[in-house]
Amino acid sequence: MRLKKHYSSREVAVLTGLSARQLQWWDARRLFIPAIRSHRTEAGGFTERRYTPVDVLELQVLADLRRRGFSVSQLRRLLSALRDVFGIRLYEAIGDGGPMSLFVAGDQLYARTADGRVFNMDRPSEPLLMLGEELSLRPLVARERRKRRTGSRKL
């Protein structure tokens, strides 16, 4: 992906798999606010929302979580816990090297801090004492949406 200063809603939709309508709905409900919000022009139309590369990275993760079955309210709780409890943005918890790493196990999200504490993101106020061995944690990473193949397939 070639980095730009800002991405339009259409470009973000292609990169994430979210629809422009979803992005508009998320903005209106204040789930995810773009870097530059839409506003009325002198001609009576509206400008297009604009997103930063960090916004696109975070939206790729949120889109992936939606495809895995996470609800909008779960996404809202995740973003608010990261912001309010840990004082970070989602991009700081994607992959290694940040103050925290996010993991998925079924329909649950977990976070591991740099000092090794693990939190269930549904109840992030206290670290877990232990994790069960049957719990397989997969790191949460940002992925560009795969393009669908077009054309006929031979059987």
Side-chain angles (χ1 to χ4, degrees):
M1 169 169 73
R2 194 179 112 244
L3 289 181
K4 297 168 47 173
K5 188 174 182 180
H6 290 103
Y7 294 84
S8 70
S9 295
R10 291 176 204 162
E11 291 171 315
V12 171
V14 169
L15 292 169
T16 63
L18 297 168
S19 69
R21 179 66 184 112
Q22 280 176 299
L23 293 168
Q24 179 186 22
W25 193 88
W26 285 11
D27 180 19
R29 306 290 180 299
R30 303 184 78 64
L31 174 67
F32 197 95
I33 298 169
I36 301 172
R37 296 186 81 178
S38 178
H39 60 275
R40 188 174 286 282
T41 65
E42 289 181 18
F46 286 90
T47 62
E48 196 166 24
R49 286 171 202 77
R50 297 284 177 181
Y51 297 87
T52 66
V54 168
D55 292 340
V56 173
L57 182 74
E58 291 180 335
L59 285 165
Q60 286 174 330
V61 171
L62 295 174
D64 184 45
L65 290 173
R66 283 294 289 143
R67 283 189 288 278
R68 292 175 189 235
F70 286 84
S71 69
V72 170
S73 64
Q74 286 175 301
L75 299 182
R76 185 180 302 279
R77 281 194 308 272
L78 169 66
L79 293 173
S80 112
L82 289 172
R83 181 185 61 244
D84 300 339
V85 177
F86 300 104
I88 63 172
R89 280 188 63 171
L90 177 58
Y91 80 91
E92 296 175 275
I94 300 167
D96 291 329
M100 174 176 285
S101 297
L102 288 173
F103 296 89
V104 177
D107 63 349
Q108 294 289 307
L109 286 167
Y110 295 90
R112 184 181 64 219
T113 60
D115 64 6
R117 293 179 298 152
V118 176
F119 296 85
N120 180 329
M121 293 307 284
D122 280 340
R123 296 173 300 283
S125 58
E126 292 186 26
L128 299 172
L129 295 175
M130 60 188 289
L131 289 174
E133 288 184 27
E134 72 281 352
L135 194 61
S136 78
L137 298 174
R138 290 179 313 213
L140 189 58
V141 295
R143 287 183 221 135
E144 189 172 340
R145 178 181 172 222
R146 292 186 202 176
K147 294 183 172 53
R148 289 186 179 163
R149 287 189 190 183
T150 57
S152 62
R153 294 172 72 172
K154 294 183 181 181
L155 300 176

